[in-house]
Amino acid sequence: MIVPATAENVVRAAQALAAGELVAFPTETVYGLGANARDAAALGRLFATKGRPTEHPVIVHLADAAALPRWAKTVPAGASALARAFWPGPLTLILPRADGVLDAVTGGQASVGLRVPSQPVAHALLEALAALGCDGIAAPSANRFGQISATTAGHVAEEFGDAIALILDGGPSHHGIESTIVDFSRGDPVVLRPGSITVDELARVLGAPPRSAGAGATRASGTLASHYAPRTPAKLLPRRELLAAIAGLGGANAHISVLAHSVAQPPEFEGAWFDAPGESAGYAQQLYANLRALDAREADEIWIEAPPDGPDWVAIGDRLRRATHRD
Ligand code: TXA
Ligand code: MG
């Protein structure tokens, strides 16, 4: 059930989490599907509901960095610096896990993913849960495994129907794509997933650019080749190829849906045409809503204008490549 994120409903949601139930909640990146991170049975329900393989680790959301020592065994200097610079915010740190962190959270790995979200509802929920003696919410993105992430409460309801007791509605997510993930558990920092905090911004704080992981380097589901994927076959086309492909259809184009950000809809195009913002922040904010709307048109194919180059488009390009990947 979708409920507005009033103070009363936030307390209700915290009580539900403390009682072992699942609650969906807004964050500044995407909506999360949350469970008490110290409750193995609740984590079992979380994986079952999401349809996610149990060896895939989930991120633990914390009210503030003061909780770090309860979750991480050691915090390297670079990780502390990033936490100071970007928390609360869209950054996940992978750190050696502290004793007592459940295997269900880490997928049995020796590391744990931690993030302090900035979204006020998420923060209020974490504080309300802390008042009940629970110090972390394990939350993957609130979508079924491999599907498009949710950036509104309505998207969460589309994904899960009545399978989640409570969906806190805090409005559309501000960033629209998932957090930047930086792994400090194996030595030098490695970016496992690009996000709205760019490699340049990380480098400024770290004093040197972190490495970027190749796909499949760790068990990070957001790094699978196919992910965030619409059901309709989708492909990426550079601007000129997109225009040529549309011209090549000779007017028989109603079975194609297009997501463009610089190309204007040609007069002869009769399929569904979506104009995305031409700047990266707006494009990212609307990306998953656009992919969902495109998918709902049930066209034969989705054609997406390839994004520009540039550091602020890296995360968008990453998500679009995975959304359009076909084996
Ligand atoms: O912005 C976000 O990060 C959102 C919001 C809800 O916080 N969450 C999110 O969760 O995107 P999820 O589960 O969809 O993606 C988290 C990624 C997964 O690819 C997971 O494998 C990786 O983080 N991850 C979590 N813990 C890890 C660990 N210990 N080592 C390596 N990767 C880890
Ligand atoms: Mg996800």
Side-chain angles (χ1 to χ4, degrees):
M1 185 176 53
I2 298 179
V3 299
T6 58
E8 197 175 66
N9 283 334
V10 166
V11 169
R12 213 174 120 202
Q15 286 165 345
L17 286 169
E21 290 172 42
L22 305 183
V23 169
F25 62 100
T27 86
E28 70 277 21
T29 58
V30 298
Y31 273 65
L33 177 59
N36 176 359
R38 301 288 192 187
D39 180 340
L43 290 162
R45 278 192 285 282
L46 178 66
F47 281 83
T49 302
K50 191 170 156 87
R52 182 173 187 153
T54 50
E55 73 276 12
H56 285 248
V58 285
I59 296 171
V60 178
H61 298 69
L62 307 174
D64 55 63
L68 264 182
R70 292 198 295 277
W71 293 92
K73 198 172 212 120
T74 53
V75 184
S80 297
L82 291 184
R84 272 196 305 277
F86 299 112
W87 280 356
L91 174 74
T92 296
L93 296 174
I94 309 292
L95 298 171
R97 70 160 160 179
D99 295 338
V101 176
L102 293 170
D103 277 338
V105 166
T106 66
Q109 303 191 67
S111 61
V112 62
L114 302 167
R115 177 163 113 74
V116 176
S118 61
Q119 211 279 359
V121 175
H123 186 75
L125 181 62
L126 285 158
E127 296 259 275
L129 190 63
L132 299 173
C134 308
D135 64 347
I137 301 178
S141 52
N143 54 281
R144 291 191 189 266
F145 183 64
Q147 303 295 321
I148 302 168
S149 303
T151 52
T152 68
H155 295 165
V156 181
E158 280 170 25
E159 289 290 311
F160 296 107
D162 295 331
I164 310 173
L166 217 51
I167 302 172
L168 281 178
D169 187 350
S173 293
H174 174 72
H175 291 292
I177 54 175
E178 302 79 359
S179 58
T180 304
I181 303 181
V182 188
D183 185 0
F184 281 91
S185 71
R186 295 154 199 254
D188 289 340
V190 180
V191 177
L192 297 186
R193 181 176 69 185
S196 51
I197 297 173
T198 64
V199 169
D200 291 358
E201 289 175 287
L202 298 171
R204 273 201 287 280
V205 175
L206 293 170
R211 273 191 300 126
S212 286
T218 58
R219 278 178 301 190
S221 46
T223 63
L224 294 177
S226 173
H227 210 73
Y228 318 106
R231 290 177 186 83
T232 314
K235 59 183 179 193
L236 275 178
L237 298 163
R239 179 189 164 91
R240 266 155 176 279
E241 285 177 37
L242 175 62
L243 285 166
I246 292 169
L249 294 172
N253 54 39
H255 61 293
I256 303 294
S257 294
V258 173
L259 177 63
H261 62 270
S262 82
V263 173
Q265 180 171 358
E268 75 276 15
F269 189 82
E270 290 171 356
W273 187 279
F274 289 74
D275 286 310
E279 41 73 43
S280 58
Y283 191 104
Q285 208 264 329
Q286 294 175 28
L287 173 62
Y288 291 136
N290 278 334
L291 289 180
R292 283 171 180 275
L294 282 159
D295 213 11
R297 294 303 179 108
E298 298 186 336
D300 290 350
E301 274 189 35
I302 297 170
W303 292 354
I304 302 174
E305 183 186 353
D309 290 330
D312 53 324
W313 288 89
V314 168
I316 292 166
D318 170 79
R319 304 306 190 275
L320 287 176
R321 271 191 303 284
R322 296 181 206 286
T324 54
H325 180 88
R326 289 285 176 274
D327 292 315

